[in-house]
Amino acid sequence: MDTLKDKVAIVTGAGGGIGRASALLYAREGAAVVVSDVNLSAIEETVAMIRAAGGRAAAQACNVAQEGEVAILVDRAVSEFGRLDCMFNNAGISGSDPVIDMAVFRRTIEVNVMGVAHGIKYAVAQMRKQGGGTIVNTASIAGVSGSGTLEYCASKHAVVGMTRSAALRYAKEKIRVNAVCPGVIVTPMTAPMIDNPAMKAHLDSMCPMGRMGEAEEIAEAVLWLSSSKSSFVTGHALVVDGGFMCA
Ligand SMILES: NC(=O)c1ccc[n+]([C@@H]2O[C@H](COP(=O)([O-])OP(=O)(O)OC[C@H]3O[C@@H](n4cnc5c(N)ncnc54)[C@H](O)[C@@H]3O)[C@@H](O)[C@H]2O)c1
């Protein structure tokens, strides 16, 4: 219950899915959490869930594609809770379809790549002042394979690359940087596919474990990477996919 006791965390894309599950788990493990998303009503709901469970949280709307908004987000953690120990750069969007639409490509890069870059930049600036911290970035199995649309794969490979580069760059400053690479997970992002029974059966069958993952199963990996329990782990892209990548 106190893996993150006295820690302060930010979770982006915490209006639902993996971000919400991680914010709830962080709070359950003792962290004060700044819950962030473009969707204000969704993060207010996440904050209400955390408070109802006895945790500490604050809502801050933020479009991670906008550098200035991410700077304000990190400032909010410091003004509200005094510091920033754990940054979870999770907000992301899926690509479109096999047709390469350049507007969608650019938008995917703006959110999935620039959003993570902004998060790393401002988290590092704050963590340096405090003598360390942890950063976790949400990549995907599409970040370590060609499974996904062109723009989604490009963006998630970039997340893995930035994770490794940042890990090397900030290792001596006691800032660890890791990525989590989920397989197919039941969240609002995958809901349109899961709502189609034939597609759901196909997705289940693609996984060696015979099912998709739950957001809470990704949150557990994120918690570990964010906490001192993974103290010698940095620059790692942790695949959490029920064996999908082995197949
Ligand atoms: N669900 C999966 O199967 C799966 C697999 C691999 C990776 N991922 C990644 O996991 C992360 C979370 O996705 P999810 O599955 O929980 O989906 P989700 O759609 O439930 O969550 C994504 C959240 O990000 C928010 N968001 C979108 N654009 C934003 C922006 N510009 N700024 C701030 N917030 C923004 C959305 O409002 C949403 O609440 C994403 O990075 C996604 O690419 C998901």
Side-chain angles (χ1 to χ4, degrees), residues 59-115:
Q60 178 71 40
C62 171
N63 176 355
V64 296
Q66 298 295 326
E67 180 174 355
E69 294 190 26
V70 178
I72 290 168
L73 174 62
V74 172
D75 283 349
R76 176 75 192 279
V78 177
S79 65
E80 187 85 25
F81 298 119
R83 54 190 290 118
L84 174 63
D85 301 288
C86 311
M87 181 79 183
F88 182 26
N89 293 310
N90 167 73
I93 54 176
S94 58
S96 55
D97 52 41
V99 177
I100 303 170
D101 177 328
M102 286 313 182
V104 174
F105 202 117
R106 278 192 200 89
R107 182 74 195 136
T108 307
I109 298 299
E110 275 170 18
V111 176
N112 294 7
V113 180
M114 296 311 295

Side-chain angles (χ1 to χ4, degrees), residues 197-212 244 247:
M199 180 61 85
K200 182 183 180 308
H202 174 64
L203 290 171
D204 284 340
S205 72
M206 276 165 60
C207 181
M209 290 179 73
R211 65 170 178 86
M212 286 174 275
F244 187 98

Side-chain angles (χ1 to χ4, degrees), residues 200-240:
K200 182 183 180 308
H202 174 64
L203 290 171
D204 284 340
S205 72
M206 276 165 60
C207 181
M209 290 179 73
R211 65 170 178 86
M212 286 174 275
E214 299 294 334
E216 290 73 16
E217 294 176 294
I218 305 303
E220 291 288 351
V222 172
L223 172 67
W224 183 72
L225 290 172
S226 302
S227 77
S228 60
K229 290 186 186 287
S230 61
S231 53
F232 202 50
V233 180
T234 197
H236 187 60
L238 179 59
V239 172
V240 185

Side-chain angles (χ1 to χ4, degrees), residues 104-200:
V104 174
F105 202 117
R106 278 192 200 89
R107 182 74 195 136
T108 307
I109 298 299
E110 275 170 18
V111 176
N112 294 7
V113 180
M114 296 311 295
V116 170
H118 296 149
I120 291 172
K121 175 177 173 176
Y122 289 96
V124 163
Q126 177 57 33
M127 288 171 181
R128 271 183 167 151
K129 295 181 202 162
Q130 305 167 187
T134 60
I135 299 173
V136 179
N137 304 317
T138 304
S140 167
I141 50 172
V144 288
S145 76
S147 163
T149 61
L150 207 71
E151 62 273 19
Y152 193 68
C153 276
S155 72
K156 295 302 189 180
H157 272 70
V159 171
V160 172
M162 285 191 291
T163 299
R164 291 176 175 148
S165 174
L168 289 175
R169 192 173 290 243
Y170 306 119
K172 292 218 164 43
E173 298 181 75
K174 299 190 173 63
I175 300 170
R176 293 188 298 109
V177 189
N178 290 290
V180 66
C181 299
V184 187
I185 310 301
V186 179
T187 70
M189 184 179 278
T190 50
M193 292 190 288
I194 296 166
D195 289 348
N196 175 336
M199 180 61 85
K200 182 183 180 308

